[in-house]
Amino acid sequence: MRAASAATDGEARDRVFISLRGVGIWTSAETRIRAFGDPDAVSVGDYHLAHQVGYALTGHRTDDDGMLELLEPFAGHRQRVIRLIYVGSALEPRRGPRLHPEDHRDR
């Protein structure tokens, strides 16, 4: 933790975290967001994040590269923009029926 605290920016913290076995870029970004309050960390590789950001900013789904391209004008504040999208914008509509929990008590 001392090495991560001593790192001066997000990229330096990424290098510290990723040097640990089993920690990838997604885990590093999530740690930077939650432990260090990094306003620019983006969780690349998140299952839903790119789709939600793409839908909020363009009306269409996108992938991680497209998400990073859309967030480029907000460099320095990308995590803040993502949080604002989740709080205030229309999220992508769900597709398919909802799953109703199966009742196993009668078995």
Side-chain angles (χ1 to χ4, degrees):
M1 192 62 152
R2 276 184 258 146
S5 296
T8 58
D9 63 354
E11 290 181 16
R13 286 190 176 127
D14 271 342
R15 284 192 296 276
V16 170
F17 291 134
I18 292 172
S19 69
L20 302 170
R21 191 178 75 204
V23 176
I25 192 71
W26 181 87
T27 306
S28 175
E30 290 293 317
T31 303
R32 287 171 43 208
I33 292 165
R34 285 167 176 70
F36 295 98
D38 190 340
D40 196 45
V42 178
S43 299
V44 175
D46 192 278
Y47 190 72
H48 297 288
L49 182 63
H51 300 303
Q52 296 295 352
V53 170
Y55 185 81
L57 297 178
T58 66
H60 303 287
R61 294 172 69 122
T62 187
D63 59 0
D64 285 333
D65 293 332
M67 174 185 65
L68 291 174
E69 189 175 313
L70 289 170
L71 292 174
E72 185 60 35
F74 306 105
H77 302 281
R78 295 180 299 180
Q79 183 53 228
R80 290 178 175 148
V81 170
I82 291 168
R83 294 290 174 193
L84 288 172
I85 287 171
Y86 271 104
V87 169
S89 91
L91 298 178
E92 182 179 20
R94 295 179 179 256
R95 294 185 285 281
R98 291 186 178 187
L99 176 66
H100 294 286
E102 187 175 341
D103 187 1
H104 295 282
R105 291 178 286 189
D106 292 334
R107 290 187 175 183

